[in-house]
Amino acid sequence: MSVNIVIGTQWGDEGKGKIIDIMASRADVVVRSQGGNNAGHTVVCGGETYKLHLIPSGILYKDTACLIGAGVVIDPKVLLGEIDGLSARGISFGNFKIDPRAHVIMPWHVELDGLSEKFRGNSDIGTTKRGIGPAYMDKYERSGLRIYDLVNPEIFAKKAKSAGELKNKIITAVYGGEALDVEAIIAEYVEYGKRLKEYVADVSVLTYEAAKAGKNILFEGAQATLLDIDFGTYPYVTSSHPISAGVCIGTGVGPMIIENIIGVAKAYTTRVGKGPFPTELDDEIGETIRNKGGEFGTTTGRPRRTGWFDAVIVRHSVRVNGLSSLAINKLDTLSGIGNLKVCVAYKKPDGSTLKDFPATLEELEGCEPIYEEINGFDEDISKCRSFDELPKACKDYIARLEELCGCKVSMVGVGPSREQNLER
Ligand code: GDP
Ligand code: IMO
Ligand code: MG
């Protein structure tokens, strides 16, 4: 048996989808435990590209069970669209299940996400506007609708009516927006519930039983550590726990079954949405990295902000997640850009040095990255198929990241496809 978690160590889009797809070849079960369709995970195989938002990235293997745990928030329309799109490409959903406890993203959540962002004006978070925050708000306020409700039309109609009417008051009276047609929404969503009913099963039980049977389980993280509601750059974060501990809460299993926690990082740093980014590059190098790395959001298409590798944030991730090892993706993107810089610590405005990522934005304010320069490389490494084939400068770069982050690197990515992953 092996039970692994794959988690993002930066601000998302580290290439988790690729690593999960590769590891899923050895997994019996792949489970998602938090977030929703704010995620966009890309899997490239056999010349085909799949962009997954809700469906676990193990879905390309027909015998792998793909489960969505209680901690995920589900937009049923998006989920069904994804099921239909993948089914049309020959992907099987015979082993796909959703926990009845997972909360449903309703149209008013999407509407309120947009309205509250607009209301914040220049202080907006830069959310994906998928209704994630408002759906989690209702969950914790104990007024949310769950998948169990959705697939039981009478219960759903009653709960959705009262929820929708209240949200309409907020939409119109607080934000000056237009009321939604609650009856029409109920009629539409009851149909979604009918289609999703066949997939509903207790994911906590399924995962526990798989563990007891000695099966290989892979937990698929979405978002990333610096977007965690508590351990990220609050308030510029998402509304869930994308850290390793979130896996247990969002699936309903105990921490003792976990054996390995793999943190995925890019060989540099990116961020979509607003919020602090100490090593951000607003220059030609940043633009080159964006274009070479195709750094445009998988979910929203927004250009991703780019910058140097920040060992302070990855060290934070090593600690917060208890990482066993790191997977460093997109090393190929750094070829030909000259010498590389890595942030080793921050210099505070009073001249002192900060080694641990601070708890608040106020403490981060005015901090400047302290860089170490490392030799770059010009070779095309995308055709390397083993770590030993990499040029010396690449090996030295990886070795330095290991030292600075205090964690071994077990995989290096030199391209988006399955075979462009060098395992050590
Ligand atoms: P995720 O959200 O963490 O799954 O990452 P995304 O799919 O949003 O973004 C990662 C992007 O980088 C995708 O377009 C991947 O196909 C691509 N990618 C992943 N690993 C590598 C790599 O090692 N090299 C290159 N060039 N691209 C990669
Ligand atoms: P994957 O799984 C990158 C960011 C948004 C925004 C903030 C809050 O593909 O790595 P939300 O819609 O969640 O309320 O937005 O979080 N964000 C992501 N950034 N990758 C993601 O997922 C993200 N999911 C949310 O851009 O800054
Ligand atoms: Mg992504």
Side-chain angles (χ1 to χ4, degrees), residues 63-140:
D63 295 325
T64 305
C66 283
L67 313 178
I68 294 187
V72 177
V73 285
I74 297 175
D75 185 325
K77 195 172 177 173
V78 172
L79 177 59
L80 284 165
E82 218 170 314
I83 292 174
D84 290 343
L86 290 166
S87 299
R89 294 172 79 178
I91 307 294
S92 152
F93 280 82
N95 289 317
F96 174 66
K97 298 288 174 220
I98 315 165
D99 196 281
R101 304 170 183 90
H103 279 247
V104 180
I105 298 179
M106 296 296 294
W108 44 81
H109 294 132
V110 179
E111 186 68 19
L112 285 165
D113 199 352
L115 287 169
S116 61
E117 280 283 90
K118 205 167 142 200
F119 179 77
R120 286 187 189 107
N122 267 344
S123 316
D124 64 330
I125 292 165
T127 74
T128 59
K129 298 203 175 91
R130 300 296 193 266
I132 306 296
Y136 277 115
M137 278 166 70
D138 280 359
K139 165 174 168 160
Y140 287 103

Side-chain angles (χ1 to χ4, degrees), residues 12-14 16 39-42 298-299 304:
D13 305 323
E14 298 91 347
K16 298 177 291 294
H41 297 175
T42 315
T298 310
T299 298
R304 293 177 183 145

Side-chain angles (χ1 to χ4, degrees), residues 348-362:
K348 297 204 317 192
D350 67 4
S352 61
T353 303
L354 195 62
K355 284 199 155 166
D356 296 312
F357 194 77
T360 64
L361 298 197
E362 287 74 10

Side-chain angles (χ1 to χ4, degrees), residues 234-375:
Y234 189 88
Y236 298 99
V237 292
T238 192
S239 301
S240 67
H241 283 297
I243 57 174
S244 59
V247 160
C248 295
I249 299 171
T251 306
V253 290
M256 298 305 282
I257 72 163
I258 312 295
E259 291 173 335
N260 267 301
I261 306 167
I262 296 135
V264 188
K266 273 176 190 164
Y268 46 96
T269 313
T270 65
R271 171 163 210 174
V272 270
K274 291 175 102 177
F277 182 171
T279 62
E280 183 165 17
L281 289 165
D282 279 322
D283 58 7
E284 221 170 277
I285 299 178
E287 191 63 31
T288 304
I289 293 176
R290 178 160 37 252
N291 291 327
K292 277 194 79 184
E295 296 297 354
F296 297 89
T298 310
T299 298
T300 56
R302 290 177 289 179
R304 293 177 183 145
R305 300 157 63 192
T306 53
W308 295 120
F309 188 92
D310 186 343
V312 181
I313 69 163
V314 178
R315 267 200 308 271
H316 174 79
S317 289
V318 168
R319 167 170 43 80
V320 166
N321 294 296
L323 295 185
S324 320
S325 68
L326 283 165
I328 305 285
N329 275 329
K330 301 192 104 162
L331 186 58
D332 54 305
T333 303
L334 295 180
S335 165
I337 68 163
N339 276 354
L340 308 174
K341 285 185 184 173
V342 175
C343 168
V344 297
Y346 302 146
K347 188 175 169 195
K348 297 204 317 192
D350 67 4
S352 61
T353 303
L354 195 62
K355 284 199 155 166
D356 296 312
F357 194 77
T360 64
L361 298 197
E362 287 74 10
E363 290 165 279
L364 194 58
E365 182 102 36
C367 284
E368 292 290 336
I370 300 172
Y371 286 118
E372 182 175 302
E373 203 159 309
I374 301 180
N375 286 338

